[in-house]
Amino acid sequence: MSCLTRDVVFLKAGGSFITFKDKPVSVNYMALEALAEALKATHREVSIVLGNGGGSFAHYAVLKYGSNDPTRLLVKCQQATRLLNRLIVDYLVFNNIPATSLQTSAIIGYGKDSLRAFTPPLLNLVGNGIIPVVYGECILNEKGLVEVFSTEKVFEILSSILKPSRILLLTDVEGVYSCNPKKCSNPGLIKRIDNDNLGAVLELLESDASRDVTGGMYSKVKTMSELSRKTGAKVIVTSGFNIDHVVQALRGIVPEKATIIEIV
């Protein structure tokens, strides 16, 4: 049976989960261990496209080189994102998980007037039960300027080719909160985001957006709500450290502590 006949799940290991964002170029190996355990339990049941955020690798490079020569920014950003992606893939392969790196800028780029995707390598991997690992990256746009391309944006482009049944975002907290749970005194977990409360949630999150080079949780909710509306896929945001919850979400079961984004 072709693995393309199984449910396709887009799974993002967020930068705040997979790295220590306040320490440049640092991997959280407890997060990698949790991710590997969840994938071991599920990779034969569903077809997974894994994407990793840039975390303290990409964010550090963009902040350090962002005001300098665009060429230097591009190569330094891509050097940083490739390094993190390789560390993640190497760890998964060491743990007998069939994963391989797929460089984002090698399959997605700007044509004359739009973004284009070259996806035969992706389809071939997924169809044969191998987990392609894409990632957020810096890409040159049609004007030769550097664009910081988030993993959510990668998923948006790929969703038109591989129709995901659900999309999972793994973070270092249990979902989307009414305010930053690491800083505010009374954070409330928002269990569901839909047509009725999307605008209000985005308004709550907007104040923190400028502190993250890819827009933080505000940008993630905005992009994922648009993708949910476009594809019909349910988006689940949950903690990557809770292995049971990640396994449940990969299997299509909504975890007890999570945020569901479903826009119709």
Side-chain angles (χ1 to χ4, degrees):
M1 180 179 71
S2 169
C3 292
L4 284 175
T5 62
R6 306 186 307 203
D7 277 358
V8 175
V9 181
F10 286 0
L11 172 66
K12 181 192 176 184
S16 62
F17 165 58
I18 215 77
T19 73
F20 296 103
K21 291 188 76 172
D22 56 351
K23 183 179 178 182
V25 194
S26 58
V27 176
N28 188 336
Y29 282 96
M30 286 183 63
L32 279 182
E33 182 180 358
L35 177 64
E37 288 301 316
L39 292 176
K40 280 180 185 178
T42 56
H43 77 84
R44 293 181 180 86
E45 302 171 20
V46 293
S47 295
I48 299 169
V49 176
L50 177 61
N52 66 268
S56 62
F57 286 69
H59 292 232
Y60 175 72
V62 170
L63 291 172
K64 184 174 181 179
Y65 300 103
S67 59
N68 297 328
D69 176 31
T71 299
R72 187 162 178 77
L73 169 60
L74 179 77
V75 297
K76 285 293 187 180
C77 177
Q78 291 199 354
Q79 180 187 42
T81 54
R82 281 198 310 272
L83 174 58
L84 175 57
N85 181 260
R86 178 177 177 179
L87 291 171
I88 293 169
V89 171
D90 284 354
Y91 187 92
L92 296 178
V93 172
F94 180 78
N95 283 275
N96 298 313
I97 295 166
T100 191
S101 179
L102 196 57
Q103 184 176 346
T104 297
S105 58
I107 61 170
I108 296 175
Y110 281 91
K112 291 183 178 180
D113 54 5
S114 63
L115 280 166
R116 299 181 182 181
F118 177 73
T119 54
L122 174 78
L123 294 171
N124 192 31
L125 291 171
V126 174
N128 284 280
I130 299 167
I131 301 173
V133 190
V134 296
Y135 51 98
E137 194 177 27
C138 290
I139 293 179
L140 284 178
N141 65 21
E142 70 275 17
K143 297 179 181 178
L145 301 175
V146 177
E147 182 175 327
V148 181
F149 212 77
S150 70
T151 312
E152 288 81 11
K153 185 70 173 176
V154 177
F155 283 175
E156 181 182 351
I157 300 300
L158 298 183
S159 67
S160 62
I161 295 95
L162 274 174
K163 309 293 185 182
S165 300
R166 51 196 169 277
I167 302 167
L168 276 58
L169 304 187
L170 305 185
T171 73
D172 59 339
V173 293
E174 292 172 329
V176 180
Y177 285 81
S178 57
C179 57
N180 189 331
K182 299 175 184 177
K183 296 180 179 180
C184 68
S185 59
N186 190 29
L189 178 63
I190 303 169
K191 289 209 165 187
R192 182 174 178 82
I193 300 173
D194 54 27
N195 299 70
D196 294 333
N197 66 347
L198 175 60
V201 171
L202 289 175
E203 190 174 336
L204 284 172
L205 300 174
E206 194 168 13
S207 61
D208 280 335
S210 62
R211 300 174 191 176
D212 187 305
V213 297
T214 55
M217 190 59 77
Y218 169 83
S219 177
K220 292 172 178 56
V221 171
K222 189 172 187 296
T223 303
M224 288 297 101
S225 62
E226 292 168 355
L227 191 53
S228 176
R229 179 185 289 114
K230 178 180 176 182
T231 64
K234 179 182 295 183
V235 180
I236 302 173
V237 186
T238 194
S239 170
F241 292 108
N242 192 319
I243 299 170
D244 289 340
H245 284 182
V246 177
V247 169
Q248 287 174 1
L250 283 167
R251 289 174 172 162
I253 302 166
V254 177
E256 179 185 355
K257 291 187 177 180
T259 297
I260 308 302
I261 303 174
E262 199 165 17
I263 309 295
V264 296

